[in-house]
Amino acid sequence: MPLLDIADLSAGYGGKTILDGLSLTAERGDVVSLIGPSGSGKSTLLRVLIGLTPPTAGTVRIGGEAVDYADKAGLKALRRRMSIVFQQFNLFQNLTVLGNLTLAPVRTLGVAPAEAEARARDLLANVGLADKAGSYPDQLSGGQQQRVAIARALAMQPEILLLDEVTSALDPERVGEVLETIRSLASTGITMLLVSHEMAFVREISTKVVMMDEGRVVEQGSPAAIFETPTQPRTKSFMQAIIRH
Amino acid sequence: MSGDLFSPETLAFLAAALGRTLWMTFIGCTIGFVIGMVLAILRRTRAPLLAPLRWAAALYVETFRRIPFLVILILVLFSVQAFAPDLSLLGIATIAVTLAATAYLTEIVGAGLDAVPRPQIESAEVLGLSWFDTLRHVVLPQAWSVILPPAAAFMVMFVKDTALASHLGVVELAFAGKILVNKGFSPLAGFGAVLVLYALISWPLGRIASSLESRLAASRHR
Amino acid sequence: MMLLRLLLAVLLLWAAPAVARDLDAIRQSGVLRVGVNPNFPPMSSYGDGGTLQGFDVNVARELGRRLGVRVELVPTEAASRVPFLVSGRIDLSLGALTITPERRALIDFSVPLHSEAMGVITTSRLPVRDWRELNRADITLVNMRGNQSVSVLAEKLPRPQRLLVDGNADTIRAIAQGRADALVENVDFFIGFTKNYPDVRWRVLPEPIFTAWCGIGLAKGNEPLRVAVDAALSAMHRDGSVDRLWRDAYGAAMTVPVSEDQLKRTAASTQTGYRFDWQPVITALPYLAGGAVISLQIALIAFWAGAVIGLAAALARLNGSPIARRVAGAYVSAVTNTPALVQIFLLYYALPEIGVMLPAFVAVTLGLTLNAGAYLSDILRGGINSVRQSELDAAEVLGLSRLDKLRHVMLPHIVRTVYRPLANFFIVLVLGSSMAALFGVEELTGRAINISTANLRTIETFAVTGLIYIGLTLIASALLALAGRTMFGVRRA
Ligand SMILES: Nc1ncnc2c1ncn2[C@@H]1O[C@H](COP(=O)(O)OP(=O)(O)OP(=O)(O)O)[C@@H](O)[C@H]1O
Ligand SMILES: [Mg+2]
């Protein structure tokens, strides 16, 4: 049974359909990369999965259990199993790095503050920022902030981590440090669903690559299959456009 | 008593009047700020159950921002008679200040809450934080620096508006000027002295309010 | 908008427990609360020691002595006397409370305390010998708002123009400064203020126009208290105490004394409590609407004149010579750091000292204009500053002329930035124009004060007035938003 099972999922904004009956699965430990042209609905898919944009049709199952997005308790349960990192980090500006990492575990998981802090320090050490615990987000570089954001998501101990173009807002020389963090994460066995334009990276770490267009899955398969022997014309043209680029 | 504007009696009289002016402003605006905060937050809730309250809060704000402060003062004077006939005129004027300040401060606080970027709230949401935790740990701390400068500026503004309480007979600064003139001081001396006192209060307070603005703008956190 | 009415109704429902205290309650507390006017020498006013003194004060003390209670004096403005009695804030009201049918509907009266012989105070400027000669349109009579004399005058002397002021002292000042020619009032009360203007040749016309009677006001249905006050007051008349206190205060006997007949009075009605009566204010709606038009006029004049001054000040502060910068900056901070009300006090009351006498409407509109100029200069300066240098550079590179740059790059941007603050400020001016009421201008609030002091239906009158302001500003906001959208492409917030 797949850990994440998305079936016929549809969603949109104000009557406009963005996701159009999309289906997708991920096994535990999978690293699934979503690729596709701008506006194809990749970010929307992640927002729907985490419950920020309500689905209009379809089901999402985690470990066989259907998620009830209309229900507060359902959302709460969902967000204990799944976490997300945004392109723009979105760290809480009023809190220190440590505060960012401990707030939710203490307030929503009921973890004791001392324990939450110890775990937060471990996580910071893992992303190479042990010395920044007392800093405020605006005192950090973009790459550092993004690594804190990843640590904050991990502090919730999710089974599934969603990452939306986490390197797009960074200076080129900062991209590497964040990719390195994700790479080491992948080796821990956490299930990840990531959107990225770093094709070499996608190819390297993904267990599965999903090509999206106009709110649907066009084609999916192993990195080698999608990058080297795509079957769909849309995938082919997308690959060519990237290579020419 | 006419003659010396700087006699100890006159100065003490003016100081007491100035005290009443500041009292009305400070107490009224402070209570108004607290209520305004509640109303602004209330207006940004989504629960269907609270819809009538949201509606009432909006109506309150709209109403009291469209009635002259003088008319509010008169209405409060005569309606408060009904249930608190022992309340002093100063107390009545303070209620009027509170009612008006609440309406304006609700808008100021609301603008501050709206200034917190949407993604900050979404981040709190996806971390599973409750509505109240989000408000307390994320929204308010960030809105604070946006709210305080205009709220302080508003309070400084209102020092001057309380002059209208002279119409009720509250012996605040403007009424003190009237009394001095009725006692035989020339209008230029009596009202001039009062005008200078207002400026002496308002100018430094205004300075403090705007330095608050630049200080808070400098650091986004804390 | 019904909410306001609802709100007031709720407030008044709460009111139920707050009623006037009866004689037993007063005796038990040992304190009699007496309302006196704080600004009405020699009836009552603050003495040098800050305590109230005068005829009314002495009468109150004597009454208290005879009733065996201590007297607590409560400063009460003329317009508040009746509401304070009704609510029980005060037990008795002094302060030349004329006995009228309108007041009798709301409160009870004791036997008369003193007469009120209405005569004419004028100056040597006005060559008349008899009050009947005053009935000419080129004469301005000054009146104190809320006094009985207003309606008597409308009947006996309909022709002259009238100027309404709020305080006793203001009436005499108005004549001294030449804003009005004569005062028709109780001469005894007002003549004392003429001492403030020794340079003016004051005259009193000999024959009184009319004699009214003033009693001590009490809440309705408080029979035992009224009987006790009547007994004490009648005794004070009969043993000459009232006459003595009057002479102490006025230096002469009452022009028309209270007669023995008047001391034998009939009982009053016993109805109690406050009932809403919207009829008087609804009848006065056209009158209030006319006031709203004047309010709008004041706001419009102040806005446009202020815009001109504001633009000049903004340009001076941005591009002017160092001196122009300083002058404009000083103007803005002087005006924005002081209350408009006190500025207008100065324009209205102090300018005549140097020979510049502005009518009330002009003084208020000028004051608001000066304020508008200062605040609008801030808004406009912000708008001009908001034009980004990068856009100007782009225009420069494209080779646009100075005029084209102004018309196509700067102005549209400035208009879009300042339009909404300007529109909001116009609303502020509409509300601010209510200050004019305090100078006797009969705009919306002034007219509301006029009718509420006549019909004594203050809450009803001002609730309706508030609704008119709300309607007025809602319409203005809607029209301004529409104009902004269609003419300047200003989008909603
Ligand atoms: N809040 C919103 N309201 C309305 N439309 C939206 C909103 N967010 C996104 N859209 C629209 O939904 C469509 C899909 O957007 P989405 O962000 O999911 O695409 P994406 O695949 O993530 O693109 P990109 O690679 O550029 O990030 C786009 O046409 C976008 O304009
Ligand atoms: Mg996206």
Side-chain angles (χ1 to χ4, degrees):
Chain A
M1 183 178 59
L3 175 63
L4 178 66
D5 184 355
I6 304 165
D8 296 323
L9 194 64
S10 296
Y13 302 101
K16 199 174 75 168
T17 303
I18 305 295
L19 292 185
D20 192 7
L22 179 144
S23 298
L24 186 64
T25 60
E27 300 295 331
R28 192 173 290 277
D30 260 354
V31 176
V32 179
S33 292
L34 303 171
I35 62 171
S38 182
S40 57
K42 306 178 296 284
S43 296
T44 304
L45 173 60
L46 299 195
R47 287 177 61 87
V48 172
L49 287 177
I50 198 69
L52 284 176
T53 299
T56 50
T59 54
V60 174
R61 285 172 196 281
I62 298 177
E65 257 176 76
V67 178
D68 185 355
Y69 285 104
D71 174 51
K72 265 197 163 168
L75 279 179
K76 214 174 159 191
L78 165 75
R79 286 164 180 166
R80 290 182 170 208
R81 309 187 70 173
M82 191 189 276
S83 209
I84 187 168
V85 180
F86 299 103
Q87 179 176 345
Q88 294 295 344
F89 343 132
N90 300 344
L91 294 178
F92 301 132
Q93 298 295 320
N94 56 306
L95 298 175
T96 59
V97 165
L98 198 62
N100 266 278
L101 264 61
T102 54
L103 177 65
V106 170
R107 307 295 313 178
T108 69
L109 302 181
V111 179
E115 190 191 333
E117 184 178 334
R119 275 215 323 242
R121 288 191 187 280
D122 280 351
L123 284 167
L124 283 178
N126 288 347
V127 298
L129 292 172
D131 54 333
K132 297 291 184 194
S135 304
Y136 283 91
D138 60 3
Q139 296 165 334
L140 301 181
S141 73
Q144 290 170 328
Q145 288 193 56
Q146 192 57 290
R147 282 184 281 155
V148 174
I150 292 170
R152 180 175 73 176
L154 293 174
M156 298 298 286
Q157 299 179 294
E159 294 165 64
I160 304 168
L161 184 63
L162 312 178
L163 300 150
D164 190 1
E165 298 198 34
V166 291
T167 57
S168 300
L170 302 180
D171 294 341
E173 65 263 38
R174 296 288 181 176
V175 170
E177 63 190 53
V178 173
L179 294 184
E180 184 50 45
T181 302
I182 299 173
R183 190 176 288 123
S184 67
L185 249 174
S187 64
T188 65
I190 188 170
T191 309
M192 284 197 281
L193 206 57
L194 63 93
V195 176
S196 179
H197 289 306
E198 302 285 336
M199 288 307 160
F201 178 71
V202 165
R203 202 170 164 172
E204 172 204 327
I205 71 156
S206 303
T207 55
K208 183 171 173 178
V209 176
V210 177
M211 168 68 195
M212 275 179 68
D213 191 26
E214 299 189 336
R216 293 168 208 254
V217 173
V218 176
E219 185 172 4
Q220 52 180 307
S222 68
I226 298 293
F227 282 97
E228 268 141 50
T229 55
T231 59
Q232 298 296 320
R234 188 70 190 86
T235 318
K236 284 180 192 161
S237 64
F238 180 69
M239 288 303 162
Q240 264 157 18
I242 291 172
I243 292 161
R244 228 184 292 128
H245 190 75
Chain B
M1 149 147 191
S2 70
D4 190 3
L5 197 57
F6 298 100
S7 74
E9 291 86 31
T10 308
L11 289 180
F13 173 69
L14 284 173
L18 175 63
R20 286 186 202 101
T21 291
L22 293 177
W23 202 91
M24 278 187 284
T25 312
F26 186 75
I27 302 291
C29 288
T30 305
I31 302 175
F33 184 78
V34 174
I35 306 176
M37 195 121 178
V38 172
L39 292 188
I41 292 167
L42 177 70
R43 286 185 73 179
R44 280 158 187 78
T45 55
R46 298 244 191 79
L49 215 63
L50 295 176
L53 287 180
R54 280 197 290 276
W55 186 80
L59 192 66
Y60 174 88
V61 170
E62 210 44 28
T63 301
F64 279 83
R65 290 179 64 212
R66 292 183 179 279
I67 299 181
F69 184 51
L70 181 58
V71 174
I72 296 178
L73 277 164
I74 295 173
L75 272 172
V76 172
L77 171 66
F78 290 98
S79 36
V80 158
Q81 287 315 309
F83 58 95
D86 290 331
L87 193 61
S88 69
L89 290 176
L90 184 65
I92 288 170
T94 308
I95 292 181
V97 172
T98 307
L99 288 177
T102 298
Y104 288 93
L105 288 169
T106 301
E107 294 286 275
I108 289 174
V109 172
L113 296 178
D114 291 344
V116 176
R118 181 93 201 120
Q120 290 282 315
I121 298 163
E122 285 186 347
S123 295
E125 193 180 338
V126 300
L127 288 170
L129 287 177
S130 67
W131 175 86
F132 184 76
D133 279 340
T134 306
L135 182 69
R136 184 174 143 208
H137 295 287
V138 178
V139 177
L140 283 185
Q142 296 192 39
W144 209 237
S145 62
V146 185
I147 292 170
L148 271 191
F154 174 81
M155 199 192 283
V156 177
M157 259 326 262
F158 221 108
V159 171
K160 293 168 277 160
D161 291 349
T162 58
L164 287 167
S166 60
H167 180 67
L168 302 193
V170 179
V171 188
E172 44 63 77
L173 216 40
F175 197 60
K178 271 199 139 171
I179 291 179
L180 289 183
V181 172
N182 286 346
K183 278 186 171 171
F185 286 106
S186 77
L188 188 62
F191 292 131
V194 161
L195 198 79
V196 168
L197 276 178
Y198 272 113
L200 285 180
I201 290 301
S202 163
W203 195 74
L205 284 181
R207 273 304 172 93
I208 293 172
S210 54
S211 82
L212 191 69
E213 175 154 23
S214 45
R215 275 239 313 280
L216 285 174
S219 74
R220 214 148 83 83
H221 51 75
R222 254 182 285 250
Chain C
M1 289 177 214
M2 285 301 290
L3 186 84
L4 191 68
R5 246 171 96 163
L6 206 74
L7 203 84
L8 287 164
V10 170
L11 289 187
L12 283 151
L13 274 186
W14 266 338
V19 288
R21 306 187 302 163
D22 62 18
L23 187 58
D24 287 344
I26 292 168
R27 286 238 161 92
Q28 224 153 43
S29 72
V31 177
L32 182 68
R33 291 173 307 191
V34 182
V36 296
N37 191 326
N39 253 326
F40 191 180
M43 293 301 250
S44 48
S45 64
Y46 286 109
D48 285 347
T51 54
L52 285 161
Q53 58 187 38
F55 172 77
D56 280 344
V57 174
N58 293 334
V59 167
R61 295 246 149 80
E62 182 61 22
L63 265 180
R65 204 178 57 74
R66 294 183 188 221
L67 296 176
V69 287
R70 192 164 63 73
V71 166
E72 181 189 317
L73 296 170
V74 182
T76 309
E77 293 289 314
S80 310
R81 292 174 293 188
V82 172
F84 281 12
L85 278 176
V86 170
S87 70
R89 172 189 283 271
I90 53 180
D91 303 311
L92 301 181
S93 172
L94 275 76
L97 192 61
T98 313
I99 302 172
T100 67
E102 291 84 9
R103 288 193 179 129
R104 270 205 192 284
L106 291 160
I107 57 170
D108 284 350
F109 285 97
S110 70
V111 295
L113 171 61
H114 57 82
S115 65
E116 196 175 16
M118 210 168 309
V120 178
I121 298 178
T122 181
T123 67
S124 52
R125 288 198 309 266
L126 193 66
V128 296
R129 308 184 150 275
D130 183 279
W131 63 267
R132 291 170 192 88
E133 293 169 43
L134 291 176
N135 201 11
R136 292 181 353 215
D138 62 333
I139 284 182
T140 302
L141 297 181
V142 61
N143 252 164
M144 201 171 117
R145 195 150 30 201
N147 272 10
Q148 170 65 10
S149 44
V150 178
S151 52
V152 172
L153 273 184
E155 200 182 296
K156 302 227 170 188
L157 291 173
R159 288 245 186 89
Q161 298 170 39
R162 60 178 188 171
L163 172 68
L164 291 181
V165 297
D166 271 315
N168 303 46
D170 299 338
T171 58
I172 295 297
R173 181 183 307 115
I175 299 175
Q177 294 184 338
R179 288 181 199 284
D181 302 304
L183 168 68
V184 177
E185 261 299 353
N186 186 316
V187 174
D188 295 334
F189 298 169
F190 287 80
I191 199 74
F193 293 106
T194 58
K195 278 184 290 200
N196 286 348
Y197 306 94
D199 301 343
V200 180
R201 308 246 311 273
W202 297 98
R203 297 196 308 136
V204 177
L205 300 189
E207 184 192 342
I209 302 177
F210 178 84
T211 301
W213 300 95
C214 296
I216 298 176
L218 315 88
K220 264 205 172 304
N222 212 342
E223 277 307 283
L225 177 62
R226 191 179 62 76
V227 170
V229 169
D230 270 359
L233 186 54
S234 298
M236 284 168 63
H237 275 298
R238 290 180 181 127
D239 68 14
S241 311
V242 172
D243 181 51
R244 179 171 49 77
L245 294 177
W246 187 270
R247 282 172 191 275
D248 286 350
Y250 289 95
M254 219 178 280
T255 322
V256 186
V258 177
S259 69
E260 181 61 28
D261 265 1
Q262 289 173 297
L263 299 181
K264 299 170 192 143
R265 50 164 299 152
T266 51
S269 70
T270 52
Q271 153 207 0
T272 89
Y274 191 88
R275 279 194 179 71
F276 280 108
D277 181 5
W278 298 90
Q279 200 49 51
V281 60
I282 288 174
T283 318
L285 272 179
Y287 176 67
L288 287 176
V293 172
I294 299 173
S295 296
L296 275 182
Q297 280 172 359
I298 295 174
L300 280 170
I301 296 172
F303 183 83
W304 287 111
V308 172
I309 298 176
L311 188 59
L315 291 176
R317 285 161 82 191
L318 287 169
N319 299 324
S321 66
I323 296 175
R325 244 174 245 245
R326 286 212 139 166
V327 171
Y331 156 67
V332 171
S333 60
V335 170
T336 55
N337 280 304
T338 53
L341 181 65
V342 180
Q343 293 162 20
I344 301 172
F345 278 160
L346 276 169
L347 290 175
Y348 189 69
Y349 294 121
L351 277 188
E353 288 181 42
I354 55 166
V356 181
M357 198 172 64
L358 305 175
F361 182 90
V362 177
V364 171
T365 311
L366 180 61
L368 287 177
T369 300
L370 289 176
N371 271 272
Y375 286 101
L376 292 181
S377 110
D378 269 350
I379 295 174
L380 293 173
R381 192 171 64 142
I384 297 170
N385 272 337
S386 75
V387 179
R388 278 184 292 269
Q389 190 58 42
S390 58
E391 283 181 48
L392 290 180
D393 289 347
E396 185 76 48
V397 173
L398 289 174
L400 290 184
S401 70
R402 262 181 84 109
L403 190 66
D404 276 348
K405 251 183 3 192
L406 187 68
R407 262 187 53 194
H408 297 293
V409 183
M410 292 184 68
L411 272 185
H413 192 90
I414 294 173
V415 168
R416 243 170 287 135
T417 316
V418 302
Y419 189 83
R420 218 189 310 273
L422 288 186
N424 287 342
F425 192 76
F426 179 72
I427 302 298
V428 169
L429 279 176
V430 172
L431 301 182
S433 68
S434 63
M435 251 179 264
L438 303 183
F439 301 85
V441 176
E442 300 188 37
E443 42 64 76
L444 181 49
T445 303
R447 290 189 177 194
I449 296 178
N450 285 352
I451 60 178
S452 71
T453 48
N455 67 21
L456 296 176
R457 295 290 170 182
T458 312
I459 293 184
E460 292 92 326
T461 303
F462 277 92
V464 169
T465 303
L467 291 182
I468 296 177
Y469 272 110
I470 292 172
L472 209 60
T473 55
L474 278 177
I475 294 170
S477 296
L479 290 179
L480 284 167
L482 185 70
R485 256 199 321 278
T486 54
M487 287 158 62
F488 307 110
V490 179
R491 256 167 277 139
R492 291 182 156 272

